[in-house]
């Protein structure tokens, strides 16, 4: 009897030891937490795609599969122990909201069984950018939202929508919208306004599992907003694109308070975020108001345009003072330097005046300009953060190069050099032969470590402080290229 009892105790001891060491048994998930050891006591039951998580439990060794939302996800077996398993939730994981049939769980399969743990993965916080609606005309001929109106909300990560309300300006719900659908990639909500009276101004409030998002609206067209422009000093004939919100129901586009654009030829996109037009043969004068204005039935928005006080050099006499300059095979608008004007044989048929012009075969010392003691534009506030300033200029290349496999610009302003600048349009990102293109380069890339415009001016060494050089990796191309309208553009903050 004593021998039997001792044998049973030994077996129980071995079994207990085996369980404690995680050598076998039914797997169990006890909790999920971050991999940060300082946050070991912080557990959670939901996470965002792309997040790394640490699964804790018992008997997790030898895991064969880990499933999240019923999708087999990769894990590194080297970090799999009896009590821990590290997984990164895939960025491409399909979440509930895109497919509502998915189980909200983590599932770990080992040779000894399956462990399940309730867990909610979200794609991220939702957002709303704007709304779209084809508004009918009221008796006064003004577009106006009406009961039963179809409206589209535009945003991102619009998953697991729980409620949509129309609220007042204090976000107090006025009525709930129940008739809505969401597109496949969860970027748009198409809803129908109910029969309630629509307020003159209100807010769409969308409650998702991951949070609430808001979008203001008005019964009549929203006031337009503009954030950026493809080129603020375009050459006649150059395509100009204005970027913003609610750019629809156009009534006028004005340049500098002097030039009205024929809006019948302007192009708008479905998202109401862009307006494109071709720059006419006129340009604003030095006495213009320095603005482009876009007017719609909802109001007017403006953006800096042809700000002459920001010009560094436009080769038409609006730039800052300089001592002298030299270079190779170039032409410009300063005959007192001994340089000739652009020849009549130039293929460039559109311009805003004179420009710097190079025409010749590449031979390692060509297509370059150096100017000595170039002054600084005084129209910028010295306290302006350099992060808000871009160097902008227009560039023209008559035809693609072939002998070289790459060709770039090296530009020096205020003694700060930036090499390898692509000769491409900032909007299309491509070389557009025989067309004026616009380039925008953040000044923080040209003068890293400089905080403000005032500091940049103070660090200007003078001397040969404004240069244009063409860079290439092989000679033999006949390159016709021009540069114009160098300026410091202050982006709206």
């Amino acid at each position: 009897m004593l021998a039997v009892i001792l044998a049973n105790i030994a077996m129980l001891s071995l079994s207990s030891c085996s369980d404690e060491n995680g050598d076998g048994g039914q797997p169990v998930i006890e909790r999920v937490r971050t991999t940060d050891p300082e946050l070991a006591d912080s557990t959670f039951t939901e996470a965002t795609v792309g997040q790394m998580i640490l699964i804790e439990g018992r008997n997790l060794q030898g895991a064969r599969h880990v499933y999240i939302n019923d999708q087999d996800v990769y894990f590194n077996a080297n970090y799999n122990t009896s009590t821990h398993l590290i997984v990164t939730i895939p960025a491409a994981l399909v979440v509930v909201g895109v497919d509502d049939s998915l189980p909200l769980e983590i599932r770990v399969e080992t040779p000894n069984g399956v462990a399940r743990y309730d867990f909610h993965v979200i794609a991220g916080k939702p957002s709303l950018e704007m709304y779209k609606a084809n508004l009918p005309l009221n008796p006064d001929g003004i577009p106006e939202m009406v009961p039963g109106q179809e409206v589209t909300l535009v945003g991102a990560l619009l998953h697991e929508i729980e409620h949509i309300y129309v609220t007042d300006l204090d976000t107090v719900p006025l009525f709930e919208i129940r008739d809505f659908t969401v597109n496949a990639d969860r970027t748009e909500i198409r809803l129908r306004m109910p029969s309630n009276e629509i307020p003159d101004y209100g807010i769409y409030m969308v409650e998702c599992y991951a949070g609430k998002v808001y979008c203001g609206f008005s019964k009549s067209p929203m006031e337009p907003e503009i954030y950026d422009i493809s080129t603020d000093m375009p050459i006649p004939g150059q395509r100009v694109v204005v970027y913003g919100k609610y750019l629809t129901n156009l009534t006028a586009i004005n340049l500098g308070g002097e030039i009205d654009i024929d809006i019948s030829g302007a192009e708008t996109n479905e998202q109401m975020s862009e307006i494109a037009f071709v720059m006419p043969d006129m340009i604003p004068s030095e006495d213009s108001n320095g603005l482009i204005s876009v007017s719609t039935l909802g109001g007017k928005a403006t953006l800096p345009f042809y700000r002459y006080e920001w010009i560094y050099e436009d080769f038409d006499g609006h730039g800052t003072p300089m001592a002298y300059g030299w270079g190779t095979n170039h032409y410009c608008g300063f005959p007192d330097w001994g340089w000739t004007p652009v020849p009549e044989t130039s293929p460039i048929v559109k311009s805003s005046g004179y420009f710097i012009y190079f025409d010749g075969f590449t031979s390692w010392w060509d297509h370059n300009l150096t100017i000595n003691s170039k002054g600084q534009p005084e129209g910028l506030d010295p306290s302006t953060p350099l992060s808000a300033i871009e160097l902008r200029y227009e560039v023209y290349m008559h035809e693609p190069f072939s002998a070289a496999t790459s060709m770039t610009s090296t530009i020096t302003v205020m003694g700060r050099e930036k090499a390898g600048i692509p000769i491409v349009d900032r909007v299309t990102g491509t070389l557009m032969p025989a067309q004026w293109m616009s380039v925008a380069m953040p000044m923080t890339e040209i003068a890293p470590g400089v905080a403000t415009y005032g500091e940049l001016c103070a660090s200007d060494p003078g001397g040969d402080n404004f240069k244009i050089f063409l860079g290439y990796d092989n000679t033999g191309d006949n390159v016709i290229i021009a540069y114009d309208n160098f300026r410091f553009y202050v982006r709206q903050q």
Side-chain angles (χ1 to χ4, degrees):
M1 287 292 294
L2 181 60
V4 171
I5 292 171
L6 289 173
N8 286 335
I9 290 173
M11 290 179 65
L12 288 170
S13 176
L14 286 171
S15 175
S16 174
C17 181
S18 173
D19 284 346
E20 288 179 1
N21 291 332
D23 294 330
Q26 174 70 27
V28 176
I29 300 173
E30 296 175 337
R31 65 176 186 165
V32 175
R33 66 175 178 87
T34 177
T35 54
D36 186 347
E38 295 184 1
L39 300 175
D41 295 331
S42 178
T43 63
F44 45 79
T45 57
E46 64 181 50
T48 305
V49 294
Q51 187 173 344
M52 181 180 287
I53 59 175
L54 176 62
I55 301 171
E56 288 190 351
R58 303 191 308 275
N59 302 321
L60 300 176
Q61 73 282 351
R64 293 174 174 171
H65 296 280
V66 176
Y67 296 91
I68 301 178
N69 286 11
D70 206 28
Q71 296 160 71
D72 202 346
V73 301
Y74 169 81
F75 66 96
N76 191 333
N78 293 326
Y79 299 104
N80 177 205
T81 69
S82 62
T83 56
H84 294 85
L85 197 152
I86 297 175
V87 173
T88 297
I89 303 172
L93 189 84
V94 180
V95 298
V96 171
V98 175
D99 183 352
D100 292 335
S101 68
L102 296 172
L104 293 170
E105 68 174 15
I106 296 174
R107 189 168 80 248
V108 177
E109 294 183 1
T110 76
N112 296 310
V114 178
R116 286 182 166 85
Y117 187 81
D118 290 340
F119 200 78
H120 200 142
V121 178
I122 60 175
K125 298 296 183 182
S127 65
L128 282 178
E129 300 173 5
M130 59 186 297
Y131 75 94
K132 301 185 296 184
N134 293 320
L135 305 181
L137 299 180
N138 65 15
D140 295 324
I142 303 297
E144 187 175 84
M145 190 178 293
V146 297
Q149 171 84 52
E150 186 177 272
V151 177
T152 300
L153 304 181
V154 180
L157 304 180
L158 300 171
H159 301 132
E160 299 183 79
I161 297 171
E162 297 171 347
H163 300 283
I164 300 177
Y165 296 100
V166 169
T167 78
D168 62 18
L169 297 182
D170 294 321
T171 68
V172 176
L174 300 175
F175 50 84
E176 183 171 3
I177 294 174
R178 302 182 186 277
D179 184 0
F180 67 89
T181 59
V182 188
N183 66 347
D185 59 4
R186 271 46 184 181
T187 58
E188 291 187 354
I189 302 170
R190 181 170 293 180
L191 60 87
R192 188 167 296 281
M193 300 289 285
S195 57
N196 307 62
E197 183 178 351
I198 297 172
D200 290 339
Y201 297 95
I203 295 174
Y204 292 110
M205 181 171 70
V206 179
E207 293 184 355
C208 301
Y209 175 84
K212 296 179 182 179
V213 286
Y214 306 86
C215 179
F217 75 93
S218 66
K219 191 174 184 179
S220 295
M222 285 288 285
E223 184 174 356
E225 302 174 24
I226 52 179
Y227 308 136
D228 196 8
I229 189 167
S230 61
T231 170
D232 61 293
M233 291 191 72
I235 308 297
Q238 192 172 357
R239 189 171 189 265
V240 181
V241 184
V242 180
Y243 303 94
K245 291 172 63 174
Y246 306 119
L247 303 179
T248 187
N249 298 310
L250 285 176
T251 59
I253 301 174
N254 180 269
L255 310 181
E258 299 175 341
I259 303 167
D260 288 316
I261 298 297
D262 180 3
I263 62 173
S264 65
E267 303 171 11
T268 58
N269 63 351
E270 184 181 352
Q271 292 74 31
M272 303 183 295
S273 60
E274 295 181 8
I275 299 174
F277 63 91
V278 175
M279 186 66 183
D281 289 340
M282 295 177 59
I283 62 171
S285 71
E286 197 169 357
D287 296 326
S288 69
N289 64 15
L291 296 172
I292 179 174
S293 64
V294 175
S295 299
T296 72
L297 289 174
K300 182 169 74 172
T302 63
L303 204 66
F305 192 81
Y306 264 86
R307 293 288 293 270
Y308 283 89
E309 71 271 27
W310 292 352
I311 293 176
Y312 192 52
E313 187 53 64
D314 70 348
F315 308 104
D316 289 309
H318 301 114
T320 60
M322 60 187 75
Y324 52 86
W326 64 91
T328 63
N329 63 6
H330 60 262
Y331 307 85
C332 80
F334 295 93
D336 56 319
W337 287 2
W339 298 353
T340 60
V342 175
E344 294 182 0
T345 56
S346 169
I348 304 175
V349 296
K350 291 285 189 179
S351 71
S352 55
Y354 287 108
F355 45 84
I356 199 71
Y357 174 80
F358 305 97
D359 182 354
F361 281 91
T362 53
S363 58
W364 299 126
W365 181 252
D366 51 81
H367 296 78
N368 61 73
L369 166 71
T370 296
I371 290 178
N372 184 272
S373 299
K374 181 72 171 156
Q376 304 156 351
E378 298 179 354
L380 286 78
D381 187 328
S383 65
T384 303
L386 208 65
S387 59
I389 303 175
E390 293 177 339
L391 173 69
R392 293 190 176 189
Y393 58 89
E394 310 308 297
V395 63
Y396 173 104
M397 181 177 279
H398 190 58
E399 57 189 11
F401 46 87
S402 57
T405 58
S406 67
M407 197 166 285
T408 58
S409 299
T410 297
I411 306 294
T412 301
V413 293
M414 294 193 188
R416 301 281 183 153
E417 179 181 289
K418 176 66 177 179
I421 302 175
I423 304 173
V424 298
D425 184 75
R426 69 181 292 243
V427 174
T428 66
T430 61
L431 171 65
M432 298 162 54
Q435 297 182 56
W436 282 101
M437 301 170 286
S438 190
V439 176
M441 179 63 56
M443 281 302 300
T444 51
E445 294 187 18
I446 298 175
V450 177
T452 66
Y453 179 69
E455 289 182 23
L456 177 67
C457 293
S459 67
D460 186 349
D464 297 339
N465 59 351
F466 177 37
K467 304 176 187 177
I468 302 170
F469 275 73
L470 184 67
Y472 41 86
D473 60 358
N474 197 20
T475 62
D477 283 298
N478 184 34
V479 178
I480 298 174
I481 191 168
Y483 297 85
D484 201 2
N485 293 347
F486 286 85
R487 70 272 187 192
F488 297 109
Y489 183 82
V490 181
R491 296 181 63 91
Q492 292 187 329
Q493 300 296 294

